Amino acid sequence: MRRTAGKSGFLLFMAGAVIFSLALFWACYNLDNKYTAGGPQPERGVLVLSEAQLEKYPVVFLVHGWEIHRDRLLAPEDFSLSAGGVSPDEFVFIGQYGGFEGSNPKRSPHGSATYRLSIDIPSEPAAYTLELPEIYSAYTLYINGVKAQQFGEPNPAHYRPETGMTSVSFLAQNSVEIIVAVSDFSHTYSGMVYPPAFGLSHAVSTMLDTRLAVRTAVSALALALAVFFLTLGFLMRNDRTLLLFGALCLCFVGFVCYPLVKSMLSVGMWWYGFENLCFCALLLLVMLLQRVISGDKSRLSLVFIGFALVVCACSLLRFALPAGNLSLMTAYSLLIGLYKWAAAFFLTVSLIRSAGRNTRYGLTMLAGVVVFDVGLVLDRLLPLFEPIRFGWFAEISGFALVVVLGVVVGQEALRHYQNKLVLEGKVAGIENLLEMQRAYYPVLMESVEQARHARHDLRHHIGVIQGLLAAGKQNELAAYVQDYAAELSRLTPLTFCENDIADVILRQFATLAEQEGIRYEVDAALPASLPLDNADLCTILSNLLENAVEANAYVAGDKSIRVTIKQVKSSLIMLVDNSFDGSVRKRGSMFLSRKQHNREGLGLASIQSVVTQLGGSASFTPNTQEKIFTSEVILPFEQ
């Protein structure tokens, strides 16, 4: 029954994750997509924009109806009436893939071509902006007969590839003629494969500023996570999980920061290889992290990670391959596509297995991978997508992975930190035990020596008592017995409870409290044996009493510590009430040390860590009115 309920819950979780992912990408596809944005479109090389249309659609994405003139690099004068005009080869749709081949997929994408579009606008002069995404791989832009922008050198005789994302603003009225003369001999795609945006300058600027702000925020967040986790990983003795996640965040930054780079710089074709390398390395690091966190030691994981290493090596070798070899570029593109599916398959299968084994964080990681998988599938099923303000499906799903892995790795780091505190507390507890044993040994030897002398003198005392009894001296006998009892009481060491460890700690702090002038009261009812590790007991009790003594150091008047330790049913309760000066330094629920500036009190943190690991609870309550600080620890165990 329990297994069936667990399986049903897992299936519901999976269904919920898939539905959430579909809703997320559906919203992106319909609300942040140049192809679904609406608005008037060009027809047969002409776009008509009235004042009413511009008011309703201040930004229009130029998708349909572009003239294309293949194998020709044309200038504005080539289209003049005096030159007889030029007829286009066809009117093309600016899609996500393809290029010069247009309606004939068998045509080579490499070569030269000229795109042309005429836009009729209102007669009133106004400021307009044309936003151009990357155009592969070198081009010259003319607006109303004037050369407005150039990237690289499109002349085949002196071809030099260069791409970038740019925008051109200008004053215009009545009409705008846009001519883009393009050459490409070095990329998988060619020409205009991403729709340009045209509209009123303020609207286009707002769109671009929003896009850059979003991309900057995402890149800055990922970079901050990378620096934080890499630094933390090195500080924690080269922690592999933290270092892997830090490297993953760096790869994500390299994969998504291209709008920032290409909006400010014109970069060479090497940047596409760098983006691909970052993406391939990102997937490899995700798989390695999944293997580390879930504890997957299967041969299947080694096979997929080996394949990922091969793909990353191919991405590096791509820099050394000759540019423009269409067969190599096509083969590499197919390899990357296969790699995406293989990574998604491995992560999904591995995480389903780990979630089925109730591996820590399995379901959390699975949620991120589901988003990634759905994004990957929809990227294939919905190719006509180009984001307006946010990111591509691969970028969104990659960001989801980074966020989810950040949560998981952060929890792992916190768990390691808590374990470190527990370990340090146990080490401190053992050291305290050893120190107490060293300090207690002379006292023990002195008690043994006193007991030996008392046993030696006992026969003399018995002789005196017998003599007084025989002489009938009752008063003298009573006085002698009273004096002897007082001497025995003085020689008998003070004890607080039957448990040796707790008793030694309580007596040690009793001596310290007496030295500091602190009233020290103890009510401890503990058996000789407890189902609790001695180091843990020492860590908790020593830190409780040490904090109490330190708090009393700031008290000018009456100083006091009251300790209550007892078993209640199946729980051990430790309660320490101590006076303090009424000053409390906190950050949230964390008590700060008075010895170190703005640092958490290590004593309380150590107590909390050990108690949490033992399944108990610890509470620390300051009463600023009565100036009493109460520390309470409850540890559950079988009697």
Side-chain angles (χ1 to χ4, degrees), residues 368-528:
V369 173
V370 166
V371 176
F372 177 78
D373 288 351
V374 173
L376 189 64
V377 171
L378 293 182
D379 184 62
R380 302 292 94 188
L381 298 179
L382 303 172
L384 290 181
F385 172 75
E386 184 185 348
I388 298 173
R389 298 174 183 84
F390 300 105
W392 301 87
F393 287 164
E395 295 169 342
I396 295 171
S397 56
F399 181 69
L401 269 180
V402 167
V403 171
V404 170
L405 286 174
V407 172
V408 170
V409 174
Q411 289 176 327
E412 278 288 286
L414 180 61
R415 188 172 66 87
H416 284 307
Y417 175 71
Q418 291 173 337
N419 289 341
K420 179 172 176 288
L421 283 179
V422 171
L423 182 59
E424 289 177 349
K426 286 190 175 183
V427 170
I430 293 172
E431 290 176 349
N432 286 337
L433 279 174
L434 292 174
E435 184 62 33
M436 288 176 191
Q437 288 175 353
R438 283 194 294 268
Y440 185 61
Y441 182 74
V443 176
L444 180 62
M445 295 305 297
E446 183 181 353
S447 299
V448 171
E449 184 66 20
Q450 289 175 345
R452 188 172 67 83
H453 283 294
R455 187 169 57 253
H456 177 268
D457 295 339
L458 180 60
R459 58 190 180 85
H460 299 297
H461 292 297
I462 292 175
V464 172
I465 292 172
Q466 287 176 338
L468 291 173
L469 280 172
K473 299 180 179 180
Q474 299 296 326
N475 293 333
E476 290 83 348
L477 176 61
Y480 186 84
V481 170
Q482 185 177 359
D483 291 340
Y484 182 52
E487 182 180 356
L488 285 178
S489 177
R490 180 178 57 82
L491 294 176
T492 303
L494 175 68
T495 58
F496 291 103
C497 64
E498 297 179 14
N499 185 275
D500 292 335
I501 300 300
D503 186 61
V504 169
I505 296 171
L506 290 169
R507 282 195 285 113
Q508 180 189 32
F509 279 94
T511 303
L512 187 59
E514 183 179 2
Q515 294 172 354
E516 298 294 330
I518 302 172
R519 188 173 70 256
Y520 188 76
E521 301 176 11
V522 176
D523 179 12
L526 286 179

Side-chain angles (χ1 to χ4, degrees), residues 346-375:
F346 164 75
L347 290 171
T348 304
V349 171
S350 177
L351 284 166
I352 288 176
R353 289 175 59 196
S354 65
R357 295 194 304 266
N358 292 323
T359 305
R360 183 186 285 111
Y361 311 125
L363 288 179
T364 306
M365 291 187 66
L366 187 59
V369 173
V370 166
V371 176
F372 177 78
D373 288 351
V374 173

Side-chain angles (χ1 to χ4, degrees), residues 46-313:
V46 179
L47 171 63
V48 178
L49 287 176
S50 64
E51 289 186 10
Q53 288 174 320
L54 276 173
E55 184 176 353
K56 184 176 181 180
Y57 301 103
V59 179
V60 177
F61 300 100
L62 307 176
V63 178
H64 301 275
W66 283 82
E67 296 180 13
I68 186 168
H69 306 263
R70 291 192 179 86
D71 302 319
R72 291 172 286 181
L73 293 175
L74 303 177
E77 56 268 21
D78 296 319
F79 294 95
S80 65
L81 293 176
S82 60
V86 181
S87 298
D89 293 315
E90 65 177 311
F91 297 97
V92 296
F93 171 93
I94 306 299
Q96 188 181 13
Y97 301 109
F100 296 155
E101 63 270 31
S103 59
N104 184 1
K106 295 182 180 180
R107 185 185 290 115
S108 171
H110 288 166
S112 300
T114 301
Y115 297 84
R116 180 173 179 265
L117 184 67
S118 296
I119 305 176
D120 291 340
I121 56 177
S123 58
E124 288 293 324
Y128 295 90
T129 295
L130 175 68
E131 182 255 343
L132 287 176
E134 298 160 281
I135 298 177
Y136 301 101
S137 295
Y139 70 90
T140 303
L141 168 68
Y142 302 93
I143 296 178
N144 284 340
V146 178
K147 182 178 177 180
Q149 184 66 270
Q150 180 169 329
F151 277 82
E153 178 52 67
N155 186 343
H158 307 284
Y159 173 72
R160 177 174 58 85
E162 184 181 13
T163 61
M165 303 172 70
T166 187
S167 59
V168 180
S169 298
F170 51 89
L171 287 173
Q173 62 187 110
N174 297 322
S175 66
V176 176
E177 181 189 50
I178 302 172
I179 298 174
V180 187
V182 193
S183 289
D184 178 74
F185 300 96
S186 56
H187 200 270
T188 308
Y189 313 132
S190 58
M192 297 174 63
V193 296
Y194 306 123
F198 174 82
L200 299 174
S201 290
H202 68 87
V204 177
S205 296
T206 300
M207 177 193 74
L208 296 178
D209 290 345
T210 303
R211 179 190 301 167
L212 286 177
V214 170
R215 195 63 60 139
T216 301
V218 170
S219 300
L221 174 62
L223 185 60
L225 288 174
V227 172
F228 174 77
F229 280 101
L230 286 175
T231 304
L232 190 60
F234 285 119
L235 290 177
M236 296 183 69
R237 300 182 180 180
N238 296 328
D239 186 281
R240 182 171 53 173
T241 303
L242 300 180
L243 293 177
L244 283 174
F245 182 68
L248 184 150
C249 290
L250 277 183
C251 291
F252 181 76
V253 172
F255 175 54
V256 302
C257 72
Y258 64 91
L260 303 177
V261 175
K262 294 178 182 179
S263 296
M264 297 181 290
L265 304 171
S266 57
V267 294
M269 301 304 291
W270 62 269
W271 186 266
Y272 298 102
F274 175 73
E275 287 180 37
N276 280 327
L277 177 60
C278 287
F279 180 70
C280 294
L282 184 147
L283 292 184
L284 169 62
L285 291 168
V286 171
M287 288 190 282
L288 287 172
L289 264 176
Q290 156 60 12
R291 192 168 187 268
V292 170
I293 294 176
S294 68
D296 186 356
K297 304 297 183 183
S298 65
R299 293 183 179 179
L300 179 66
S301 66
L302 293 177
V303 171
F304 278 93
I305 288 172
F307 176 60
L309 288 171
V310 170
V311 175
C312 290

